[in-house]
Amino acid sequence: RHIGPGLRFISESAPLPSELALSTAYDLRAEDWRLLPALEAAAPYAGQFYGKLGVEGSRQVAPGTWASLRLGYNSRSSADLGPLSALTAGTGVRVGGFSFDAAFQPMGPLGSALRISVGWRF
């Protein structure tokens, strides 16, 4: 990731935060259910090795309508902010091309982060 010339602003430049990453996911489907576990391992050029683990469970609740629950763990956050800050949780709903998603992550002494997104596929 991030391979190429560095960032430049007027006469100052900085290298990109490059890293090598390997990831995998497996899509399990059964009738109206979908389970998507994912795993990633990353080795930054400057920094410590870290891993990510996540799972999404989705269910079709009506024709063309899906509801999802997500859980994740990112070990990169746990080193600086504590093990609880590495946990994430989220939910989402998709109706046709419209989607709404919300995710929560505790950030230790920094408080908490709530991310909300709305999308439209066409």
Side-chain angles (χ1 to χ4, degrees):
R1 289 187 193 146
H2 309 294
I3 296 173
L7 301 173
R8 193 169 151 217
F9 179 71
I10 304 175
S11 62
E12 295 182 33
S13 64
L16 293 174
S18 57
E19 67 182 18
L20 178 65
L22 179 65
S23 58
T24 187
Y26 191 73
D27 193 2
L28 301 164
R29 294 177 186 248
E31 294 184 22
D32 296 341
W33 288 90
R34 178 180 181 223
L35 185 67
L36 183 65
L39 174 68
E40 179 178 322
Y45 177 71
Q48 293 197 0
F49 174 86
Y50 66 94
K52 299 176 185 176
L53 175 66
V55 65
E56 175 186 72
S58 301
R59 180 167 170 31
Q60 187 171 12
V61 293
T65 303
W66 289 79
S68 302
L69 288 175
R70 301 175 188 99
L71 290 174
Y73 186 85
N74 181 349
S75 69
R76 187 176 210 175
S77 303
S78 66
D80 297 328
L81 301 174
L84 199 56
S85 68
L87 293 173
T88 58
T91 186
V93 65
R94 183 169 42 103
V95 180
F98 173 79
S99 65
F100 174 82
D101 295 286
F104 174 78
Q105 179 180 9
M107 301 291 284
L110 300 175
S112 300
L114 177 63
R115 295 180 183 95
I116 296 175
S117 67
V118 177
W120 182 262
R121 272 189 193 184
F122 54 91

